[in-house]
């Protein structure tokens, strides 16, 4: 249940309203006007709350439901206790998103620029923006409409940020062109120099980095993630990507559309990802790797060669997932001898 200190509760809703929002069918007759106070988990939902149940692998959990109402699938509806109001829908996960959004809202910063912010005269700030305390916006920055720039963020010279973007506390953006509807979380570092050095006369000499970071529309970059700008060519993050916390994306990487990179993934320079690539936590990529569209890489894998489109791989070095499981089974069997 959302804490009212942090979220606005939009008030009770009737079962009839909930069914409309969730695109659900009410199976329990005569309960259309029953009020629901909150959306909760199965474990925390009480007699005035609604929960969701769609776990086919843990059907016994349905017996724990103490909520007034539950949204589930037609397939699992018979498992819900008799005293619970039952609604069914085709996709409970989508309904969950819609209902939580209807019940709760984040507190929104009012438009305006904090007196402690430093905004260059040449910067262009769009309509209805919030610029928080101690924010630094340098020369020739362009920020679109309805943006939120939170406290202590730094937007370096020449950056362009689209409409409806949110830059979290203490994040820094440099050498970056960003699309619309992006969310850069707290402490992220976008556009720093890539890790490029050459040995000259026995010493590591820094290679100049003159590329940019290009971020598409509807991209989320997690807290304390780093995306380096390109050395010559740009580092590119495609539309709709979701990058978790503590991810490293090196210079010249090109990440396709709608990719998911889970926490502590590290991608060395000049890698190219297709669309809809999924990387589990702590995956590592050698430089100049190509990963085909739709590929999935299991957690803690080490990728040292190209991956075909649609492949599911795991291990270090990576092998097809079925081969990885055979290796594990072989080791477990033979280690007991």
């Amino acid at each position: 249940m959302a804490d009212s200190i942090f979220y606005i509760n939009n008030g009770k809703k009737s079962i009839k309203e909930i069914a409309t929002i969730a695109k659900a069918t009410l199976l329990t007759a005569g309960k259309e006007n029953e009020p629901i106070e909150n959306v909760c988990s199965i474990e925390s939902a009480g007699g005035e709350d609604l929960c969701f149940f769609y776990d086919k692998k843990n059907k016994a959990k349905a017996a724990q439901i103490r909520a007034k109402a539950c949204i589930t699938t037609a397939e699992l509806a018979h498992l819900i206790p008799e005293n619970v109001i039952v609604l069914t829908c085709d996709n409970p996960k989508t309904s969950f998103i819609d209902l939580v959004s209807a019940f709760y809202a984040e507190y929104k910063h009012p438009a305006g620029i904090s007196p402690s912010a430093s905004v260059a005269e040449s910067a262009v700030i769009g309509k209805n923006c919030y610029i928080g305390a101690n924010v630094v916006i340098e020369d020739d920055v362009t920020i679109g409409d309805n943006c939120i720039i939170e406290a202590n963020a730094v937007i370096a010279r020449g950056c362009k940020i689209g409409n409806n973007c949110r830059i979290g506390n203490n994040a820094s953006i440099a050498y970056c062109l960003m699309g619309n509807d992006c969310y850069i979380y707290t402490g992220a570092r976008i556009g720093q120099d890539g890790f490029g050095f050459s040995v000259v006369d026995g010493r590591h000499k820094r290679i100049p980095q003159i590329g940019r970071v290009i971020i598409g529309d509807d991209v989320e970059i997690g807290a304390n993630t780093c995306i380096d700008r390109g050395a010559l060519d740009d580092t590119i993050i495609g539309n709709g990507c979701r990058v978790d916390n503590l991810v490293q994306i090196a210079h010249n990487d090109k990440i396709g559309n709608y990719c998911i990179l889970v926490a502590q993934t590290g991608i060395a320079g000049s890698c190219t990802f297709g669309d809809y690539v999924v990387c589990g936590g702590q995956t590592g990529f050698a430089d100049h790797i190509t990963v085909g569209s739709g590929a999935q890489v299991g957690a803690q894998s080490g990728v040292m060669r190209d991956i075909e489109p649609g492949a599911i791989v795991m291990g270090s070095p990576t092998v097809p997932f079925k081969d990885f499981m055979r290796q594990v089974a072989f080791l477990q069997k033979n280690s007991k001898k």
Side-chain angles (χ1 to χ4, degrees), residues 102-148:
F103 266 90
Y104 310 106
E106 288 193 67
Y107 287 95
K108 292 185 177 180
H109 296 288
I113 299 176
S114 170
S116 63
S118 175
V119 180
E121 291 184 6
S122 59
V124 177
I125 310 298
K127 300 175 183 177
N128 198 36
C129 289
Y130 168 80
I131 310 296
N134 302 311
V135 166
V136 176
I137 298 177
E138 296 184 349
D139 289 330
D140 300 318
V141 166
T142 300
I143 295 176
D145 298 337
N146 308 310
C147 288
I148 296 172

Side-chain angles (χ1 to χ4, degrees), residues 130-210:
Y130 168 80
I131 310 296
N134 302 311
V135 166
V136 176
I137 298 177
E138 296 184 349
D139 289 330
D140 300 318
V141 166
T142 300
I143 295 176
D145 298 337
N146 308 310
C147 288
I148 296 172
I149 314 296
E150 296 180 354
N152 302 308
V154 177
I155 315 297
R157 180 181 180 276
C159 289
K160 290 180 170 51
I161 295 174
N163 300 323
N164 310 309
C165 291
R166 180 175 176 180
I167 310 300
N169 298 327
N170 300 296
S172 63
I173 314 292
Y175 304 100
C176 180
L177 306 180
M178 185 184 305
N180 301 318
D181 305 303
C182 293
Y183 186 1
I184 311 301
Y185 285 60
T186 297
R189 304 292 181 228
I190 310 296
Q192 306 306 303
D193 275 9
F195 193 70
F197 299 90
S198 184
V199 177
V200 179
D201 296 330
R203 297 186 179 184
H204 297 293
K205 186 173 181 63
R206 186 173 69 87
I207 299 171
Q209 310 284 293
I210 60 172

